[in-house]
Amino acid sequence: MTYPNTAVVDFINKYFVPLQVNLQSDSNLPARHRVFWTPTIVILDTDGIEYYRFYGFLPPDEFIPQLQFGLARMALEKQNFRQAIIELNGIVDKHPKSDIAPEAQYWLAVSEYKSTHNVDILLGAWRKLKKDYPNSIWAKKVSFVKD
Amino acid sequence: MLKHNKLYLSALAMSLILVIAAEARGASPTITWGKDFEEVTKEAKASGKQILIDFFVPT
């Protein structure tokens, strides 16, 4: 199970204020967030604005990087690229085999470029994406980059 | 007899302490789930942490 896992509990307690909502209750939250299936995990900022969601059961070694990716997407969309780099590096360094890692590497390249405006950094990080995750859809998105 | 009872009580107390200590060591951290969105939002603003909502159905 995911929630009894100590690493999952520690991650949630460190970075989130968690709320559980029964889809069958009379809460208006499922409708407000257009939830039609469970489990649905939704990540919002302190103003209640949604930035990321994912569906279905995941084991801890996929669940934690998904949560961290949610924090990264929030930082990206708020254009806090320094924070995005921290979160995305956390995923590719600590969870390089997770399914979200290739996408994290893609956006890490973008975040580093946005921070530095250095095209060489962008292309270098995308080359790493092609090398480390050649079969991912994210490698296809940067297939135009020459090796 | 009195000495025997004292020894018995001491042993019992020690056993209880060991059991409690073992349980404390084995206690896993838990998630304290909020139940109310407004309360959770207030707590998030106060702590600077983001909000995670788990939509579920009881199994």
Side-chain angles (χ1 to χ4, degrees):
Chain A
M1 293 295 289
T2 303
Y3 288 131
N5 178 273
T6 303
V8 171
V9 172
D10 289 346
F11 194 90
I12 289 175
N13 286 338
K14 185 173 182 181
Y15 295 107
F16 295 100
V17 179
L19 172 69
Q20 265 189 326
V21 177
N22 184 343
L23 197 64
Q24 297 170 339
S25 70
D26 58 1
S27 168
N28 64 353
L29 286 172
R32 192 194 299 179
H33 291 280
R34 310 166 313 283
V35 175
F36 62 94
W37 189 246
T38 63
T40 297
I41 304 294
V42 181
I43 292 174
L44 310 92
D45 70 2
T46 57
D47 292 321
I49 297 170
E50 180 180 335
Y51 284 89
Y52 190 63
R53 66 169 57 193
F54 55 97
Y55 304 92
F57 168 80
L58 285 174
D61 57 353
E62 293 288 350
F63 191 80
I64 291 172
Q66 283 284 340
L67 294 180
Q68 192 158 20
F69 190 75
L71 296 173
R73 285 298 301 261
M74 186 183 296
L76 269 170
E77 291 185 24
K78 289 174 181 275
Q79 301 200 34
N80 182 349
F81 298 113
R82 287 179 190 275
Q83 187 62 36
I85 289 169
I86 291 169
E87 304 295 355
L88 294 164
N89 263 325
I91 296 168
V92 297
D93 288 346
K94 293 180 185 170
H95 310 279
K97 294 184 177 176
S98 64
D99 285 347
I100 199 70
E103 186 173 354
Q105 179 63 36
Y106 178 94
W107 290 114
L108 177 59
V110 172
S111 300
E112 288 175 336
Y113 170 71
K114 286 286 197 176
S115 269
T116 61
H117 302 288
N118 184 331
V119 177
D120 290 336
I121 288 177
L122 175 71
L123 297 177
W126 276 350
R127 286 189 188 100
K128 185 177 188 307
L129 168 59
K130 287 173 67 179
K131 176 175 166 286
D132 291 351
Y133 306 103
N135 298 318
S136 72
I137 192 171
W138 295 93
K140 291 176 184 169
K141 290 173 190 272
V142 298
S143 57
F144 62 88
V145 177
K146 292 178 182 173
D147 294 331
Chain B
M1 184 67 177
L2 186 62
K3 189 177 177 183
H4 181 267
N5 283 347
K6 278 185 178 175
L7 279 172
Y8 173 76
L9 287 173
S10 297
L12 185 65
M14 184 60 74
S15 299
L16 279 172
I17 289 168
L18 289 173
V19 167
I20 292 167
E23 285 184 352
R25 275 199 306 274
S28 300
T30 56
I31 299 169
T32 304
W33 294 98
K35 299 293 179 193
D36 178 77
F37 184 73
E38 302 308 323
E39 289 298 319
V40 163
T41 304
K42 279 183 193 171
E43 189 180 337
K45 284 183 187 295
S47 65
K49 295 179 183 178
Q50 313 308 327
I51 299 167
L52 181 153
I53 307 180
D54 172 17
F55 291 96
F56 75 104
V57 288
T59 52

